[in-house]
Amino acid sequence: MNLRKSYPEQPERIYFFGTCLIDILYPEAGLAGMQLIRREGVDVIYPLNQTCCGQPAWNSGYRDEAREVAAAQMACFPEDYPIVVPSGSCAGMLRQHYPALFAGTPQQDAAQAFSERVFELTEFLSRVLKIKLNDLGKPVKVALHVSCSARREMGVANEHQSLLQQLSNVELVEQERKEECCGFGGTFAVKHAQISAAMVEEKATALVASGADALVSGDCGCLLNIAGHLEYRKAQLPGSHIASFLWERTNAAEG
Amino acid sequence: MQQKVEFHDRAGKALHNPQIRSNFRYAMDGLMLKRLRSFPDLDELNRLRLRSAEIRANALARLPELLEQLEARCRENGIQVHWAETAEQANEIVLGIMNRHGAKLLIKGKSMVSEEMELNHYLEQHGIECLESDLGEYILQLAGEPPSHIVAPAIHKSRQQVAQLFKEKFPDIPYSDDVDTLTRNARDILRRKFYEAPVGLSGVNFAVAETGTICLVENEGNGRMCTTIPPVHIAVTGIEKVVEKLSDVPPLLSILPRSATGQHITTYFNMISSPRKPDEKDGPDEVHLLLLDNGRSHIYKDAELIATLRCIRCGACMNHCPVYARIGGHAYGTTIPGPIGSILEPQKAGLDQLGELATASTLCGACGEVCPVRIPIPELLNRLRFERVRQDHTGATRGQGGQRDPWEARIWKAWSWVHANPMLYRLSMRMATGLRWLLPNRLGPWTSVRTAPRPAAKSLHTLAREKGFDHE
Amino acid sequence: MSEARTNILRRLSAGKPHFAAPAAATRVPLARWDVPGRIDQFRNKMESVRAEVHVTVRDRWPDLLKSLVTEKQLSNLLYAPNGPLGETLSQAWRKEDPSPLICRNEAVDEWKEELFFNIGGAITAARWGIAETGSLVLWPTTEEPRSFSLVPPVHIAVLEAKDIYDTFADLVEQQNWHLCMPTNALLISGPSKTADIEQTLAYGVHGPIELIIIVIT
C-alpha cells in the first residue's frame, strides 16, 4: 500500500474531484468540502468535465471500460495541483488503483504521477491545511462510520476522528464493531443483495444502540446504504457527510 | 451458472437461520479479539508479516527446485515420496498403500487436502473406513457434514447441537452438553481407534526442503497419535507448502497460531523427519509424503495470482470477513471457504464454475489487513473479477471469460461511454435532477431494505458554478 | 520416477513466473531475558495453558516428584531406567515398597494395550525449553520413546533451567538443527486441549490431560 508519510505545505490552489455519487445525490457535501478549503485561503478549482473515477467498472472486472473513464478524468486535471476528493473510496481508486489500471499502457507514468497528487478530504484538511475548527453548533452525540477504503486503503480513520474531536460540542460515541464494513461494496449491494441487507441491518442496529443523534461518514456510498436503511426502518438517526457536518457546524452564516 | 444459483441459495438459507447467524457471529467476534490480543506490539506484527511473506514468496519463487530437494532429503531419510497431479491420482495412491497393508481402517488427523481429495468418500467406496480424530472433524463426520471453517471445522454447531448428536449416535453414553464431558467422551471413543488403526493420515503445515522434515501444528494430540502409533503414516500436502530452510520455520510458527486462534503457540509442534529407525521403540515403520498438485501449478504461472499459494491456512481472513461471518463456511460450497477460498477455489475449479465467489465480497480489505503472509486478497478478488469477464483468452486462469454476461457487458459499455463523454454525462445529470420526482421508489433489490436514493435538485456541477468556483 | 512428478515439475518450471526471490530479509527482533526472567517467562506461559510448573534445586527434585505422584494418585509411573533420569529415579524409590515406577524395554508394539489402558503417568527428560512461548522441546530417544509424552494421561517432564532458550529461533540456530534432525522433534506447550466446541477450551482431549514440569535450577 501507498500510505503517505509526509505532507506538502499549504498550496495556493487545488483541484476538487467531486465524485459521481456526490454530484447527483449529495452535492451539498461536495460544496461544503470546497467551501471548507476555500475558507482556509486556498483557491478551489472544480473542473467541469469530471464525471466518475471509474471504480464501479474496475471493481466489476470491466477494466477497459474503467480505463476509458479514468483516462478522461486524468485529462481534467492537467496542472500540478493537489487533487482533493471527498471520499475514501474514490480517493483510493485514484490514488491506489490508477497505477495498476494503467500498468503496461503508455499512460503508466502519467497515472503514477496523477495518483501521487490525490488526497482524501479529511487528510487534506487536517494534514495539509492543519485546519482549526470552531464549533458553533449545539451539543450533539455523533457516531462516525469510517468507510473501509478510508480506513484501510487510505489510512485516514484518525483524520476523520480528529476533525470531529476538534468540535467542542460534539460528543463522539462508539458503535459496536465500528470497523466492520456496512455492506455497500458498490455493485455488491445489488449482486449479493441478501448478504448486503444482513450487513447493513446489523450496522444500523449498532448505530442506533450507540445512542448517537447523528451519523457522520466520509463516504457517500456508505451513507446511501446505512442512512437509506435507517430511513427505511424509520429510525431517527439522520446521516450526513463529514464535509457537510463540519461546514454546517463551523460556518457562522449557516451554522 | 448453476454454481451461482447454488451459492445464492445456500447464502440465503444461512442468512435466514438464526442459529447459524449467532454461532458464527459469536465465534468470529471471539477469534478476532483473541488475535488482536496476541499481537500487542504492532511493529513486531508488521515485521513478522513481512518476514513471513518473504519466506513464502521465496519458497514459491524456487518451488520446482525446492520440491526436488524436499523429495531427495525425504528419500535419504527413508520417507517415501509420491506425486499426484489430480485428487483422483492422490486417492489411488492412498488406496494403494492401504491395500498393500491389507488395512481396513484409516485414522485421520486434520487435513484440508484430504477434504479437497474427498478421500473419505473415495476410500469408503473401496470398503475402507476412515475415521476423523480431530474433535471438530469427528463431530462433523458423525453429522455427515463438511467443515465450515478450516481451523475450527465445527464452529457452526452449538454445544447443544453437539450434545444432541452424541446422544443420537451413542445412546449408551448419558446425555451431557457440558464441553468437558463431551470432550472426555470423544477421548474414550477414539482412544481405542488409535490403538487399533493400522494406518494414520495427517496434513502438513510446512515441509522443509533443507532437511526433509514434515511439520505439523496441533492442539489435541490426535495429530501426534496418527503420526506415532499406527505402523504406517501418510502425510498429504499441496505442493505449495514447502519452505526452503529450517530457519524459515520459527517465524511462521510464531505468526500462524496467533493469526489463527490468538494462541501464542499450539500445544504441539511436531516435526517428523524419518520413519522409525532400527533402534527406536515406537513410531511408524513407513512414512509416506504425498505431494498433490490439483491445479496449483496452473495458479503458479501468473506473477500476480501466485500470491494465492503463499497461504498458510490460518483462517484469519475468514475470521475477519463480514460476509463469511454472515453466511458461514458451507454457503461457499468449496473445500476452503471465506476470502482465501474465494480466490483459491475459482482458480482451481475454473472461473466458469466458481467465478461468482470472487464477487461475493465488498472488498472491505479486512482479509488483506490480517493475512500473516500479506496475500493481497482484495486485489486478487478484483483481478479474478476481471478474468471472469474478459474476452481475450490469455490462458492466465482456468475458465477465463466464462462468466461474461453479454447484457452486463453492454451496460458497462454504455456506462463507460456516458462517463468518458462529459457533455453526455452532464446531459444525463440534468435529466436526472430535472426529472427526480419521476424516478421510481422501488429499485429492485436495493429498496428491499432501503429507501430509494433521490437525486438532488441541482448537481454539484451546477452548485459549484453558482457559488463561484472556477472550472479551470 | 512417476509421470505425475515429471508433469508437475515440467509445468512449474515452464510456468515459473518472472520474479526474483525477495532479497533482503526483514529482521524481526527476538525477545531477550536474563536468567531469572527467562524462567519466569517460561513458567508464566506454561501456566497460562494450564501446565503445572515446579522450580526446584537439583537435590530436591526426587522428593518433589514423590510428593507429586502421591498428590496425583498415580497408579504407576512409566520411566526409562537407562534414560537420563533413570538412575536418580531408581534411587528415589529404592527404600520404599511398593514403588510406582514401571519400565518396559520392548518396542511399544509389544505392550501397546498396557500403554494405552493401564499406565497412569510417564516421566521423561526435556532436552530444551523455550521461554518465549513456554515450550518443552523433546527429541524422543530409544530409551524415552515418543509415546511416553503422548499416551498416558499424565506427563511429567524434567527440564534443566540452563537448557531454556529465549526463543525457538535461537534454539534451532545455536544447536544447528539443520544438520542433525532426529526422527521426531517435538515442541510441547501445555496439556492436550481443544476449542472445537463453541470455542470453549477443554483439556485432555487425546494427549495428556495433565502436564507437570519440574525445572531444575
Side-chain angles (χ1 to χ4, degrees):
Chain A
M1 220 197 293
N2 187 14
L3 298 182
R4 275 176 211 280
K5 294 211 165 56
S6 64
Y7 287 90
E9 293 294 301
Q10 173 162 333
E12 271 183 38
R13 191 167 287 127
I14 63 121
Y15 283 127
F16 200 79
F17 183 84
T19 83
C20 62
L21 273 186
I22 283 189
D23 194 21
I24 177 113
L25 297 173
Y26 297 87
E28 71 288 350
L31 192 65
M34 296 200 285
Q35 286 169 319
L36 282 165
I37 297 170
R38 183 158 70 181
R39 194 172 65 190
E40 299 301 303
V42 178
D43 269 357
V44 177
I45 303 171
Y46 183 84
L48 190 63
N49 285 343
Q50 60 176 293
T51 62
C52 165
C53 64
Q55 192 191 96
W58 164 252
N59 280 348
S60 299
Y62 288 86
R63 293 191 171 184
D64 293 341
E65 289 77 1
R67 202 177 296 111
E68 213 173 307
V69 171
Q73 305 319 302
M74 293 208 296
C76 299
F77 303 86
E79 302 300 329
D80 193 28
Y81 311 142
I83 302 159
V84 181
V85 188
S87 154
S89 174
C90 309
M93 177 69 195
L94 299 172
R95 180 156 177 85
Q96 313 293 1
H97 301 304
Y98 269 27
L101 181 58
F102 288 96
T105 73
Q107 285 169 287
Q108 183 173 331
D109 293 346
Q112 182 62 41
F114 178 88
S115 75
E116 285 167 17
R117 287 157 55 205
V118 173
F119 296 83
E120 187 273 337
L121 176 68
T122 63
E123 161 185 51
F124 187 77
L125 292 175
S126 60
R127 299 285 179 173
V128 181
L129 300 186
K130 301 182 177 68
I131 196 168
K132 294 282 173 284
L133 298 169
N134 180 23
D135 192 4
L136 307 171
K138 294 186 187 121
V140 64
K141 283 187 194 167
V142 168
L144 169 67
H145 173 76
V146 179
S147 75
C148 299
S149 35
R151 182 184 300 283
R152 303 198 179 92
E153 222 164 51
M154 295 301 291
V156 294
N158 287 341
E159 283 72 4
H160 280 55
Q161 190 168 324
S162 70
L163 286 174
L164 291 177
Q165 281 167 339
Q166 281 196 41
L167 301 174
S168 50
N169 278 333
V170 169
E171 182 193 341
L172 263 181
V173 295
E174 243 180 47
Q175 67 276 28
E176 201 185 3
R177 300 190 193 98
K178 64 171 183 165
E179 293 175 3
E180 190 175 84
C181 178
C182 71
F184 177 61
T187 50
F188 173 87
V190 179
K191 247 183 177 356
H192 297 278
Q194 301 180 84
I195 306 173
S196 176
M199 290 167 73
V200 75
E201 280 162 10
E202 285 182 38
K203 180 59 73 184
T205 301
L207 285 164
V208 170
S210 73
D213 306 312
L215 161 69
V216 169
S217 179
D219 270 84
C220 288
C222 309
L223 277 179
L224 194 64
N225 184 37
I226 306 172
H229 175 66
L230 284 166
E231 197 177 276
Y232 173 86
R233 62 153 97 166
K234 300 190 168 52
Q236 300 300 311
L237 183 59
S240 52
H241 189 278
I242 192 165
S244 307
F245 186 78
L246 294 178
W247 177 252
E248 280 162 20
R249 292 192 70 91
T250 59
N251 180 41
E254 293 179 27
Chain B
M1 288 285 158
Q2 187 55 28
Q3 294 279 356
K4 174 178 168 176
V5 175
E6 286 171 8
F7 173 73
H8 286 266
D9 195 37
R10 286 188 301 259
K13 282 195 183 117
L15 289 168
H16 290 106
N17 182 335
Q19 179 90 58
I20 290 281
R21 290 285 293 276
S22 73
N23 289 356
F24 275 97
R25 183 80 260 181
Y26 171 76
M28 297 307 113
D29 282 350
L31 286 165
M32 285 193 282
L33 185 65
K34 285 178 197 159
R35 176 189 173 274
L36 192 68
R37 285 184 182 153
S38 75
F39 290 111
D41 180 347
L42 277 185
D43 181 57
E44 190 231 354
L45 170 61
N46 289 333
R47 284 167 182 273
L48 200 50
R49 287 178 72 222
L50 280 167
R51 181 82 193 98
S52 303
E54 285 162 7
I55 289 169
R56 293 294 301 133
N58 172 64
L60 291 174
R62 305 183 44 204
L63 187 58
E65 56 191 278
L66 291 183
L67 282 169
E68 288 186 275
Q69 189 189 357
L70 173 71
E71 179 187 42
R73 286 295 103 76
C74 283
R75 290 224 161 109
E76 285 164 25
N77 297 348
I79 296 174
Q80 302 177 44
V81 181
H82 311 264
W83 302 70
E85 287 186 81
T86 60
E88 179 70 27
Q89 278 180 14
N91 284 326
E92 284 166 10
I93 291 167
V94 175
L95 178 64
I97 298 168
M98 297 297 292
N99 285 342
R100 221 165 26 252
H101 292 274
K104 290 290 167 204
L105 171 64
L106 177 70
I107 191 141
K108 293 178 67 197
K110 194 164 161 33
S111 156
M112 289 312 292
V113 171
S114 76
E115 296 284 346
E116 170 184 347
M117 290 156 60
E118 299 183 25
L119 175 67
N120 296 9
H121 179 69
Y122 177 88
L123 288 183
E124 271 151 27
Q125 281 184 327
H126 290 80
I128 291 171
E129 182 193 352
C130 290
L131 187 68
E132 297 288 349
S133 63
D134 172 89
L135 180 59
E137 296 278 359
Y138 178 64
I139 290 166
L140 295 184
Q141 193 176 23
L142 291 178
E145 292 171 22
S148 61
H149 188 284
I150 61 172
V151 173
I155 205 150
H156 58 286
K157 289 213 174 300
S158 67
R159 104 190 117 85
Q160 288 81 5
Q161 288 173 315
V162 175
Q164 197 56 40
L165 187 64
F166 270 65
K167 190 186 144 191
E168 282 163 28
K169 302 286 173 178
F170 306 102
D172 296 344
I173 301 176
Y175 176 90
S176 167
D177 63 7
D178 171 64
V179 174
D180 281 323
T181 310
L182 288 166
T183 304
R184 208 51 59 88
N185 291 342
R187 176 186 176 100
D188 293 341
I189 296 163
L190 285 165
R191 199 138 253 256
R192 174 118 335 241
K193 296 290 184 180
F194 288 121
Y195 170 75
E196 292 167 357
V199 182
L201 183 133
S202 75
V204 174
N205 289 96
F206 322 115
V208 185
E210 180 181 35
T211 53
T213 301
I214 297 163
C215 302
L216 278 162
V217 168
E218 60 141 347
N219 282 312
E220 295 186 2
N222 67 312
R224 285 185 68 198
M225 285 282 192
C226 292
T227 59
T228 305
I229 305 298
V232 180
H233 166 212
I234 306 170
V236 294
T237 182
I239 52 173
E240 80 282 16
K241 284 288 179 70
V242 64
V243 296
E244 184 188 354
K245 290 182 291 197
L246 207 58
S247 59
D248 291 338
V249 170
L252 294 177
L253 180 61
S254 172
I255 204 164
L256 171 60
R258 289 198 273 173
S259 300
T261 56
Q263 290 177 272
H264 57 269
I265 192 165
T266 52
T267 303
Y268 301 113
F269 185 59
N270 190 357
M271 305 174 83
I272 297 162
S273 301
S274 90
R276 183 196 303 205
K277 295 195 179 103
D279 60 340
E280 290 171 344
K281 290 188 180 144
D282 65 1
D285 296 313
E286 275 183 30
V287 177
H288 299 263
L289 175 63
L290 171 46
L291 302 166
L292 175 63
D293 181 347
N294 201 26
R296 290 165 175 82
S297 61
H298 196 84
I299 300 173
Y300 189 73
K301 282 192 225 167
D302 187 278
E304 183 182 22
L305 294 168
I306 191 174
T308 313
L309 299 177
R310 278 190 222 156
C311 177
I312 56 172
R313 304 285 189 270
C314 70
C317 60
M318 51 201 82
N319 299 345
H320 290 75
C321 176
V323 173
Y324 177 90
R326 302 296 184 307
I327 65 175
H330 287 159
Y332 292 80
T334 48
T335 306
I336 312 252
I340 183 66
S342 295
I343 57 172
L344 176 65
E345 302 284 5
Q347 293 185 73
K348 284 168 69 182
L351 288 161
D352 49 341
Q353 298 296 312
L354 293 176
E356 184 73 4
L357 291 181
T359 70
S361 161
T362 61
L363 303 178
C364 76
C367 51
E369 187 176 54
V370 296
C371 176
V373 288
R374 298 168 53 97
I375 302 171
I377 299 175
E379 279 89 338
L380 299 190
L381 286 167
N382 181 294
R383 168 69 190 280
L384 293 179
R385 291 178 182 190
F386 169 55
E387 295 293 334
R388 72 191 266 278
V389 299
R390 75 189 285 182
Q391 283 177 299
D392 54 333
H393 293 281
T394 61
T397 46
R398 284 186 173 163
Q400 200 176 41
Q403 290 195 331
R404 190 179 178 90
D405 169 357
W407 267 108
E408 192 185 68
R410 251 171 251 151
I411 290 168
W412 285 113
K413 198 95 218 147
W415 174 89
S416 155
W417 186 55
V418 170
H419 289 83
N421 290 282
M423 297 279 281
L424 211 58
Y425 171 81
R426 287 199 294 274
L427 181 69
S428 63
M429 286 302 107
R430 265 203 296 281
M431 282 170 63
T433 49
L435 303 175
R436 66 200 193 107
W437 299 113
L438 299 178
L439 289 174
N441 278 325
R442 299 207 57 81
L443 295 172
W446 177 266
T447 46
S448 65
V449 294
R450 303 171 193 86
T451 52
R454 185 67 61 197
K458 289 176 181 174
S459 71
L460 181 59
H461 276 76
T462 308
L463 285 179
R465 191 172 52 239
E466 288 180 6
K467 295 284 180 178
F469 288 96
D470 291 336
H471 286 319
E472 51 193 310
Chain C
M1 292 293 149
S2 75
E3 195 187 320
R5 177 187 189 277
T6 314
N7 291 343
I8 293 169
L9 289 175
R10 189 179 28 116
R11 269 200 301 276
L12 290 177
S13 301
K16 205 166 168 176
H18 298 285
F19 70 87
T26 304
R27 295 177 62 86
V28 184
L30 297 175
R32 291 288 169 243
W33 290 273
D34 59 10
V35 175
R38 194 172 299 138
I39 297 171
D40 281 349
Q41 169 73 15
F42 176 85
R43 176 206 282 268
N44 291 340
K45 283 290 173 189
M46 270 294 186
E47 287 176 349
S48 76
V49 288
R50 218 188 272 186
E52 214 176 295
V53 181
H54 302 270
V55 181
T56 183
V57 293
R58 187 168 311 279
D59 296 346
R60 297 244 179 86
W61 82 260
D63 286 336
L64 173 65
L65 174 68
K66 284 160 85 172
S67 63
L68 284 169
V69 168
T70 312
E71 183 194 321
K72 304 287 174 192
Q73 299 179 322
L74 295 183
S75 55
N76 51 31
L77 184 64
L78 184 63
Y79 87 119
N82 301 321
L85 310 174
E87 207 181 312
T88 316
L89 287 168
S90 308
Q91 292 202 352
W93 269 280
R94 203 167 39 175
K95 296 186 196 97
E96 277 150 79
D97 194 39
S99 157
L101 293 176
I102 60 168
C103 60
R104 294 288 176 269
N105 287 320
E106 309 83 15
V108 166
D109 321 63
E110 312 290 319
W111 54 287
K112 205 165 157 188
E113 170 94 30
E114 189 182 7
L115 171 69
F116 266 73
F117 304 105
N118 295 319
I119 301 289
I123 182 163
T124 71
R127 197 166 180 132
W128 298 289
I130 298 167
E132 182 178 44
T133 52
S135 309
L136 294 171
V137 184
L138 271 63
W139 280 16
T141 56
T142 304
E143 291 75 29
E144 294 178 344
R146 293 152 78 169
S147 334
F148 276 37
S149 64
L150 174 63
V151 180
V154 177
H155 175 213
I156 302 175
V158 179
L159 171 68
E160 300 270 352
K162 66 171 172 50
D163 293 331
I164 302 178
Y165 281 74
D166 284 338
T167 68
F168 185 35
D170 292 325
L171 172 61
V172 167
E173 189 196 323
Q174 289 168 32
Q175 292 289 337
N176 287 308
W177 277 30
H178 65 287
L179 300 176
C180 55
M181 281 302 274
T183 301
N184 182 228
L186 189 66
L187 270 58
I188 299 178
S189 312
S192 152
K193 64 177 180 284
T194 184
D196 274 350
I197 303 173
E198 277 194 0
Q199 297 270 290
T200 308
L201 266 177
Y203 287 87
V205 54
H206 296 302
I209 299 165
E210 284 186 77
L211 174 66
I212 301 162
I213 301 152
I214 299 174
V215 179
I216 301 175
T217 55

